[in-house]
């Protein structure tokens, strides 16, 4: 979902790097300079003036420190103070996406508009097909009466001149579950009850107004200020994220201060085995189909928005769960930090007794840059437990279903389908499957189109990352069909 | 005609600070330049360390032998077009 050539994303990375450096240098003593340095007086301006830019940057910095912008009680609270508050925290800040009020441009309500391209034709399909009789001809051109229009888009579909345009609200358009909407002033707000933390609004807002609480400072504090053993769990999507080998990256993490580094692909191997066995069991019990459960945004969407699908969602836990469970069995006192492409994992971690923190690749990147660590220069560190091809292919669309299918064996027939991207249309498709079934019996649902390699926390381009993941999967040994399951 | 060589630094600092996004030149470069460029990934060239100022001026990209600091997709494309104009 990372849109290439996007200023809002680049600015977020810059903010995280500055915050990480500010912590490492002097524990935020000079943090209030960050907005000034990023928007110097004589530099370029992206909103009305440099001062508004800085005000927005301050809120974005707050989020980088793990505070929600709407937690603000006193506007004079400095970033230094917010930084110190962050260091006093002893548990991960709760996952929450929110909108920076002053950064939200209050886009005009999503609507269809007939442009001057309209030729005022004789056929008038727009007027005749409008179910609400909202279209009339004014001065030789079609015109939509906004009070009658229900945004169905019929006129848009039928106009032979393409004269009807849709003016969208990007965040609302992106949110698959209707969790973001306008208040009376046109500003967007996120309903935490409905939000599935997928991060689509954050990636799609052209004004960079959507932020979420980062846990980066908390993890750095655990590493630098406690004696605890902080262990990094690298999500399978990591291949390709740092343009270097995973062994070098593991070395870089150790150079930063992580005590150990493990691969979540190992947990994904376990998920594959358990999910394959579960699939066989369910099919033998006569169930029509099963869906995957490893995408946390989909899992939450199924719980609160698609109740019909709940009985068909696999009960197998996620790769993060199994990896953290193994880790805590071995080192009960360690601090387990999941590092991945996903924002919804932060919400999942709140229910996972073994996971302490969740970072994105972008946050990890910011930490390495701030510490002056170049991944390639770090000595290679190999993983104690090696993952297999199946677990490694999880982060690309079709990968999970493919992995499961490879272990199902010949006992039952598996017909996988990938639901690539949890869009509004795909939610309808899932509902239809729940009610009427369908051709396929194994549905892999990925909230991000293309799979986790397109997640909002990624650094690399999804196309390049997908290639790296494929290459890494191919270099791994394959799990074989479990004889017990056969 | 020789292709213009685009060397994109993919050292950790440059990659995180935006060279990952400049790599989209590999996939959908504008039609006028797509056939005239060759893209190479360059390991950290140490340029970020030569610059004394904090928060180095990366990402670094070389368009042939010309260095672009704080490179962005737009800057790189503009430089390529400038070079192409000179050649033709």
């Amino acid at each position: 979902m990372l849109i290439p050539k996007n200023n809002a994303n680049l600015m977020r990375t810059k903010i995280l790097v500055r915050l990480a450096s500010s912590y490492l240098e002097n524990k935020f003593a000079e943090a209030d300079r960050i907005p000034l340095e990023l928007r110097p007086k004589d530099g370029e301006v992206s909103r009305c003036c440099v001062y508004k830019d800085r005000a927005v940057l301050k809120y974005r910095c707050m989020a980088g420190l793990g505070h929600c912008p709407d937690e603000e009680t006193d506007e004079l609270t400095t970033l230094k103070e917010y930084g110190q508050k962050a260091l006093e925290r002893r548990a991960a800040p709760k996952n929450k996406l929110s909108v920076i009020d002053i950064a939200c441009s209050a886009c005009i309500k999503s609507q269809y508009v007939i442009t001057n391209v309209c030729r005022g034709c004789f056929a008038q399909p727009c007027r005749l097909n409008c179910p609400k009789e909202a279209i009339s001809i004014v001065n030789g051109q079609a015109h939509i009466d906004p009070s009658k229009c229900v945004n169905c888009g019929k006129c848009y579909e039928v106009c032979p001149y393409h004269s009807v345009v849709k003016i969208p609200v990007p965040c609302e358009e992106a949110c698959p579950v209707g969790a973001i909407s306008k208040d009376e002033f046109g500003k967007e707000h996120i309903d935490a009850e409905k939000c599935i933390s997928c991060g689509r609004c954050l990636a799609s807002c052209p004004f960079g107004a959507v932020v979420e609480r980062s846990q980066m400072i908390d993890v750095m504090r655990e590493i630098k200020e406690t004696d605890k053993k902080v262990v990094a769990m690298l999500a399978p999507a990591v291949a390709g994220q740092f343009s270097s080998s995973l062994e070098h990256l593991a070395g870089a993490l150790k150079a930063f201060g992580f005590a150990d580094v493990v691969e979540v692909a190992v947990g994904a191997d376990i998920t594959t085995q358990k999910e394959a066995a579960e699939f066989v069991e369910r099919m033998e019990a006569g169930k029509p189909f099963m869906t995957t459960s490893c995408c946390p945004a989909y899992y939450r969407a199924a719980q609160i928005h698609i109740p019909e699908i709940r009985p068909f969602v696999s009960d197998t836990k996620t790769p993060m769960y199994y990896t953290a469970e193994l880790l805590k069995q071995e080192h009960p006192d360690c601090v387990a930090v999941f590092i991945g492409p996903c924002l919804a994992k932060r919400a999942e971690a709140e229910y996972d007794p073994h996971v302490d923190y969740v970072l994105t690749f972008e946050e990890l990147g910011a930490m390495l840059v701030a510490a002056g660590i170049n991944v390639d220069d770090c000595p290679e560190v190999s993983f104690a437990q090696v993952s297999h091809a199946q677990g490694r292919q999880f982060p690309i669309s079709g990968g999970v279903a493919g992995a499961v299918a490879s272990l199902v064996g010949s006992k039952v027939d598996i017909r996988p389908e990938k639901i690539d991207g949890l869009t509004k249309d795909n939610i309808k498709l899932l509902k239809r499957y729940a009610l009427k079934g369908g051709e396929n019996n194994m549905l892999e649902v990925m909230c991000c189109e293309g799979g986790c390699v397109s997640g909002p926390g990624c650094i690399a381009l999804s196309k390049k990352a997908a290639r790296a993941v494929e290459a890494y999967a191919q270099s791994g040994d394959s799990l074989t069909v479990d004889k017990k399951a056969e | 005609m020789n292709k213009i060589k685009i060397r994109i630094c993919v050292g950790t600092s440059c990659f995180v600070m935006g060279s990952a996004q400049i790599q989209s030149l590999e996939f959908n470069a504008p039609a006028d330049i797509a056939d005239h460029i060759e893209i190479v990934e360059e390991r950290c060239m140490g340029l970020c360390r030569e610059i004394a100022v904090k928060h180095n001026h990366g990402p670094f990209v070389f368009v042939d032998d010309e260095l672009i600091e704080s490179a962005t997709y737009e800057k790189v494309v503009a430089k390529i077009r400038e070079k192409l104009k000179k050649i033709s």
Side-chain angles (χ1 to χ4, degrees), chain A residues 99-376:
Chain A
V99 180
I100 303 172
D101 200 71
I102 59 159
C104 176
S105 124
C107 308
I108 49 170
K109 215 170 146 255
S110 175
Q111 57 180 280
Y112 287 90
V113 173
I114 296 176
T115 64
N116 264 339
V117 178
C118 173
R119 313 257 307 151
C121 67
F122 173 61
Q124 295 180 3
C126 56
R127 190 172 67 84
L128 297 174
N129 286 288
C130 176
K132 296 290 171 189
E133 296 181 357
I135 296 179
S136 54
I137 307 296
V138 181
N139 294 334
Q141 283 186 323
H143 173 79
I144 300 174
D145 177 351
S147 65
K148 290 184 184 163
C149 175
V150 291
N151 278 333
C152 70
K154 277 268 161 22
C155 52
Y156 175 83
E157 284 164 25
V158 298
C159 175
Y161 295 103
H162 297 249
S163 74
V164 186
V165 292
K166 182 181 187 188
I167 304 176
V169 178
C171 59
E172 291 181 12
E173 202 75 12
C175 177
V177 293
I180 190 162
S181 57
K182 290 182 176 300
D183 64 13
E184 61 199 287
F185 307 107
K187 301 276 188 178
E188 297 289 339
H189 292 272
I190 298 170
D191 183 344
E193 299 283 306
K194 289 184 185 168
C195 178
I196 57 170
S197 305
C198 65
R200 278 168 180 251
C201 53
L202 185 145
S204 70
C205 174
F207 285 88
V210 185
V211 289
E212 57 116 34
R213 288 190 184 127
S214 166
Q215 302 178 5
M216 181 178 76
I217 299 302
D218 305 75
V219 173
M220 291 206 288
R221 180 188 58 78
E222 296 278 12
I223 293 174
K224 303 289 177 191
E225 296 181 38
T226 70
D227 300 328
K228 291 182 207 160
K229 186 178 154 79
V230 183
V231 182
M233 306 190 290
L234 292 175
V238 72
Q241 288 301 322
F242 286 88
S243 200
S244 191
S245 77
L246 287 189
E247 285 75 16
H248 279 296
L249 182 60
L253 287 168
K254 288 211 161 173
F256 189 89
F258 282 94
D260 204 358
V261 185
V262 298
E263 264 191 293
V264 176
V266 171
D269 287 340
I270 303 174
T271 299
T272 311
Q273 286 162 324
K274 293 197 189 255
E275 204 153 290
E278 185 188 6
F279 177 77
V280 171
E281 205 174 287
R282 283 188 182 227
M283 290 306 113
E284 284 176 345
K287 296 286 186 308
F289 71 97
M290 182 177 102
T291 85
T292 54
S293 61
C294 49
C295 170
Y298 162 62
Y299 189 79
R300 180 144 170 81
Q303 297 306 310
I304 55 181
H305 297 288
I306 328 173
E308 308 91 315
I309 203 93
R310 261 186 265 163
F312 305 103
V313 179
S314 160
D315 293 322
T316 302
K317 305 268 191 203
T318 67
M320 174 171 90
Y321 177 89
Y322 293 121
T323 310
E325 192 184 41
L326 282 175
L327 183 61
K328 289 276 164 109
Q329 275 166 6
E330 212 176 316
H331 308 284
D333 298 326
C334 78
V335 176
V337 182
F338 176 88
I339 304 175
C342 185
L343 304 187
K345 276 285 185 232
R346 294 207 220 262
E348 184 193 330
E350 286 168 21
Y351 299 98
D352 189 321
H354 307 303
V355 180
D356 299 292
Y357 296 101
V358 173
L359 291 183
T360 63
F361 293 133
E362 185 189 24
E363 286 161 341
L364 172 64
M367 285 160 59
L368 294 177
V369 173
I373 295 172
N374 186 36
V375 175
D376 275 334

Side-chain angles (χ1 to χ4, degrees), chain A residues 299-461:
Chain A
Y299 189 79
R300 180 144 170 81
Q303 297 306 310
I304 55 181
H305 297 288
I306 328 173
E308 308 91 315
I309 203 93
R310 261 186 265 163
F312 305 103
V313 179
S314 160
D315 293 322
T316 302
K317 305 268 191 203
T318 67
M320 174 171 90
Y321 177 89
Y322 293 121
T323 310
E325 192 184 41
L326 282 175
L327 183 61
K328 289 276 164 109
Q329 275 166 6
E330 212 176 316
H331 308 284
D333 298 326
C334 78
V335 176
V337 182
F338 176 88
I339 304 175
C342 185
L343 304 187
K345 276 285 185 232
R346 294 207 220 262
E348 184 193 330
E350 286 168 21
Y351 299 98
D352 189 321
H354 307 303
V355 180
D356 299 292
Y357 296 101
V358 173
L359 291 183
T360 63
F361 293 133
E362 185 189 24
E363 286 161 341
L364 172 64
M367 285 160 59
L368 294 177
V369 173
I373 295 172
N374 186 36
V375 175
D376 275 334
D377 297 341
C378 298
E380 290 181 80
V381 172
S382 48
F383 297 100
Q385 207 174 343
V386 178
S387 57
H388 291 80
Q390 276 88 347
R392 293 177 182 186
Q393 72 190 51
F394 266 50
I396 34 181
S397 176
V400 183
V404 171
S406 75
L407 292 191
V408 160
S410 50
K411 218 167 177 187
V412 294
D413 177 32
I414 180 165
R415 297 180 305 280
E417 181 176 27
K418 44 185 187 187
I419 311 280
D420 186 15
L422 196 64
T423 56
K424 287 168 191 156
D425 283 345
N426 279 340
I427 288 180
K428 279 185 205 152
L429 177 71
L430 285 165
K431 286 187 177 171
R432 212 160 50 232
Y433 251 97
L435 295 174
K436 296 176 189 155
E439 268 176 47
N440 303 288
N441 58 7
M442 173 72 196
L443 304 184
E444 174 202 280
V445 191
M446 292 276 196
C447 179
C448 295
E449 211 174 305
C452 312
V453 288
S454 318
C458 284
I459 298 169
L461 288 178

Side-chain angles (χ1 to χ4, degrees), chain A residues 241 243 374-376 464, chain B residues 12 15 23 26-27 43 73:
Chain A
Q241 288 301 322
S243 200
N374 186 36
V375 175
D376 275 334
K464 275 191 90 86
Chain B
T12 305
F15 196 70
Q23 287 183 326
E26 281 177 40
F27 299 99
R43 297 281 126 190
Y73 180 87

